[in-house]
Structures are given as C-alpha cells and as structure tokens.
Amino acid sequence: PLTSIVLSAYVVIMVQESSWFFKEILTWYDDIYTDHLLNNFSLRQSLISETMRRNDFRFFPLSHQDLHALSWFTPYTKIWSLVSAIELIITIILGCKSVQIIKKSKSSDSIFLMGSLLFLFTSATAYNYFQFIYSERFLTLLLAVYIYQYCLYQNSGEPKNGRIAILFALFIPFFKDSAILLAVVPALTTVALGSVGKINHYPRWNSLKLSDWARAYALELAICSLAVFFLASFMMLSAIPSLFAGVQRYDAHLGFSALNLDIRLLFLIGFSVTRLWLLTRSRTKANALDGLNLAALCYGFSLYALVGLEGKSYMTLPIQFVAVIDILMIWEILAAPWVRSHLGARQTKAAALGTTLLL
C-alpha cells in the first residue's frame, strides 16, 4: 500500500507539473491541429523530420515517435503525461522483478518501495518524466522489459522469453544511437563468461561441437547480430549523408567535456568491480546483472566520450536504472538477511525505508 501511495502521489505531481520545456515541441504540436482533428491517423512531418532529416550524424529515428503515436489518439498533453507515468511504473516494477529473479531466493517485502523511492527521486528521472522531449524515458522502459525477459530466459530457458527479449533489444538502438551497447553487451558478456565456465547452464566453448555451442548461445548470438543491422542502418541513414554534407557531429565540441559522478554511479562502479573480483577468484557465478552492469558502464563511457558525463543529466537515466538495481541487490544479498536475523519484520522494513531515504 505504501508503494502505491508513493507512486500515485508522484503521478499526480507529474500530471500537474509536466512542461513543454523545449520550443521544438510547439512546432511538432502544430501538425496535430491540422484538419481540425478530423484526420488524426496521419503522419506528422514535423515529428518525422526531427529525427530523419538530419545530416549531423544524429541517429535515433524512433525517438519521439511514441509522442507521434499518442497524438493520433489525443491532443491533450495531460493524457501524454499519464502515459509517461504508466511507463515509469512499469519500469520500476520490472527492475524490482529482475532483482527477484536474479536473487532466486525470497526477497524482502520492502524491495518495491525501495526501488520506487530510489528511482523516482533523481534528477535524471525528473528531467525525463516531467518533460516530453527526451528519448531516454522510453529507452529505459525498453531496457527494463529487455533485461526482465532476458533474466526470465536465463532462469527458465523458455524460448518465448528469449523472443520477447530480442524483440525489445531490436528497438533499443533506434531510440538512441549509443544505446546499441545496452542491447548487445549483456548478450556478449554471457557468451564470453559462459564460454569460460562462469555461468550456470551455459557450456564451455571447448566442451561441445561448434554447432552445438552455437545452438546453446543462439539467443545471445542473435542479439549480438543486431549490431550489424544497426551499423548498416546508421551508415545508410546518417553517416553517409553527413559525410556527403561535410558537417561535424552536432555536439562534437562536448566530447570528454565533463565527468561528474554521483553517489549512485559510484555504487554501480563499486558493485561491478566487486563482482569482477569475485568472478576472477571463482567465488561466485555470473548472471544477467553482470552483463547489464558492463553495458551500463560502456554506455556511460560512450556518453563521456561523446558529450561528457554528468550524474544528474537526463542522459544518464538508463545508467541510473541499472544503479538502482545494483543497490537493491546489495540490500537483498548483504543487508536484509543480517537485519532480519537481528530485528523483526517491522524493524527490517523501517531500516529499509530509512536507508533508502538517507541515500
């Protein structure tokens, strides 16, 4: 009930306070009123041209197309904000569910409240969900569904979960070009670590014939092949036109311009380094979270190389999402069992809430 109250209050504030923020969205909005709303299911050229008619190496053609589809059904931005709220809630739930799947044993009752508070109260979340302009909002939803289904696949081996995972992985890089790392790196990590015997239920590379090895890693290899498809699309639709026009990348001057990490990103780095140390000493087995952490670190470095990395920036939302998962995993593995063994259930919930609010 407390989690529901927190999320409901946040949604009310979102709907009340959501803003246009950027003047470009006003020009997109003009197309909605063409034909006096009598031809709703028509293509909005302003929304398409924003991402498809560029010659400055900018490539995320599906960015803002969620707003494009919403505009077919309603011109009211308060309804758009409600849809953003639904996306936010689904993202939080799937992140917490992924922690439960990876941990396998019973999780604490406070995990959804902790996950909600940690994800809601960050600058990156406020930027993305109180405004409509940023593609990271929908990108993080796609990442949440992808990693949730991939965790289910690794846990159960169900082909259905694998097919859903690759479907959402396919869309990820077309909402943000550098997000191809978020889609491919987890699968690539599984292939690498599984082939050296670091993941349960995945065979070593030298224990099977090549055809059997490829069959065991069929989903991961299929996800990795998306990189080839993405690069071909990028070359045809962005790189060649940009080279022909002779222009620089639109934000080339921002490369390596800033590196300001917040406490959550430090948790992400620390947890990833600790997991790597445990894996090299054979103290644990790898799981989907290790690949996700490496993907988040690679994505963060790509942001740093392209536009600089600010922990409070709207661009870090996918990384902040992974950091929240790591913090929840640290609580579930290290803190919650000790607290439960020394305190009662109610005191454990209070400790969880206090720790989250402190962070």
Side-chain angles (χ1 to χ4, degrees):
L2 186 55
T3 305
S4 300
I5 292 170
V6 169
L7 292 173
S8 299
Y10 202 87
V11 169
V12 170
I13 299 171
M14 274 182 60
V15 173
Q16 180 66 27
E17 300 295 336
S18 293
S19 66
W20 300 96
F21 194 77
F22 278 101
K23 61 183 183 297
E24 286 90 339
I25 203 169
L26 294 173
T27 62
W28 306 346
Y29 203 74
D30 287 341
D31 281 358
I32 298 174
Y33 284 111
T34 305
D35 301 323
H36 304 287
L37 302 179
L38 296 176
N39 189 23
N40 276 21
F41 296 95
S42 59
L43 297 179
R44 320 286 190 205
Q45 291 304 320
S46 56
L47 278 160
I48 295 173
S49 63
E50 170 66 18
T51 53
M52 290 299 291
R53 297 184 65 181
R54 303 289 296 239
N55 61 357
D56 54 5
F57 291 96
R58 185 177 184 179
F59 185 70
F60 23 99
L62 294 183
S63 178
H64 314 312
Q65 300 313 310
D66 55 330
L67 301 180
H68 192 162
L70 273 175
S71 72
W72 294 343
F73 298 96
T74 176
Y76 295 108
T77 54
K78 295 299 183 183
I79 305 300
W80 297 10
S81 187
L82 280 175
V83 174
S84 294
I86 293 171
E87 295 169 2
L88 170 62
I89 293 170
I90 292 173
T91 300
I92 292 171
I93 291 173
L94 292 182
C96 296
K97 287 282 189 182
S98 298
V99 173
Q100 290 180 324
I101 295 169
I102 294 170
K103 185 172 178 284
K104 293 184 180 178
S105 58
K106 187 178 184 298
S107 58
S108 65
D109 297 333
S110 308
I111 186 170
F112 288 96
L113 178 59
M114 293 179 69
S116 299
L117 292 172
L118 287 170
F119 191 67
L120 292 177
F121 296 101
T122 65
S123 300
T125 299
Y127 271 117
N128 280 277
Y129 292 97
F130 280 79
Q131 298 158 26
F132 302 114
I133 193 80
Y134 300 124
S135 61
E136 281 77 8
R137 166 179 47 82
F138 205 79
L139 168 63
T140 306
L141 172 65
L142 292 173
L143 177 63
V145 179
Y146 164 52
I147 202 63
Y148 171 67
Q149 293 294 334
Y150 190 50
C151 288
L152 286 176
Y153 172 79
Q154 286 201 341
N155 195 44
S156 66
E158 283 290 331
K160 177 184 71 174
N161 300 123
R163 287 192 289 267
I164 297 174
I166 196 172
L167 174 65
F168 281 87
L170 170 63
F171 286 104
I172 283 174
F174 294 95
F175 277 84
K176 190 81 172 181
D177 41 16
S178 53
I180 183 65
L181 296 168
L182 296 174
V184 170
V185 171
L188 194 61
T189 304
T190 297
V191 174
L193 294 179
S195 295
V196 296
K198 296 294 185 180
I199 305 180
N200 291 329
H201 313 305
Y202 280 92
R204 290 176 176 267
W205 68 274
N206 58 354
S207 64
L208 298 171
K209 294 189 300 182
L210 182 60
S211 58
D212 294 331
W213 178 89
R215 192 175 299 111
Y217 291 93
L219 175 67
E220 286 75 18
L221 295 175
I223 294 174
C224 290
S225 72
L226 295 178
V228 179
F229 175 57
F230 166 75
L231 288 173
S233 304
F234 175 76
M235 290 297 297
M236 291 289 292
L237 297 176
S238 181
I240 292 176
S242 300
L243 289 170
F244 182 79
V247 297
Q248 291 290 321
R249 185 168 51 83
Y250 73 104
D251 50 7
H253 63 287
L254 296 175
F256 299 102
S257 60
L259 180 61
N260 295 312
L261 305 178
D262 63 8
I263 184 72
R264 295 154 185 264
L265 299 189
L266 293 176
F267 265 109
L268 169 63
I269 295 171
F271 186 73
S272 301
V273 171
T274 302
R275 288 285 302 172
L276 177 61
W277 181 79
L278 291 172
L279 284 169
T280 56
R281 295 180 63 86
S282 300
R283 298 275 297 275
T284 188
K285 289 289 187 178
N287 53 48
L289 184 55
D290 296 305
L292 182 61
N293 283 332
L294 181 58
L297 293 174
C298 291
Y299 182 71
F301 183 79
S302 72
L303 289 180
Y304 174 54
L306 293 171
V307 296
L309 180 61
E310 295 271 358
K312 64 182 180 181
S313 170
Y314 68 90
M315 295 184 185
T316 64
L317 186 67
I319 311 175
Q320 294 284 356
F321 172 70
V322 179
V324 168
I325 292 178
D326 284 346
I327 294 170
L328 292 177
M329 188 62 73
I330 292 169
W331 170 262
E332 289 295 316
I333 294 176
L334 299 179
W338 185 90
V339 175
R340 270 199 302 266
S341 65
H342 291 78
L343 302 173
R346 183 170 296 180
Q347 288 79 6
T348 302
K349 292 179 182 178
L353 180 60
T355 303
T356 305
L357 291 175
L358 180 63
L359 181 60

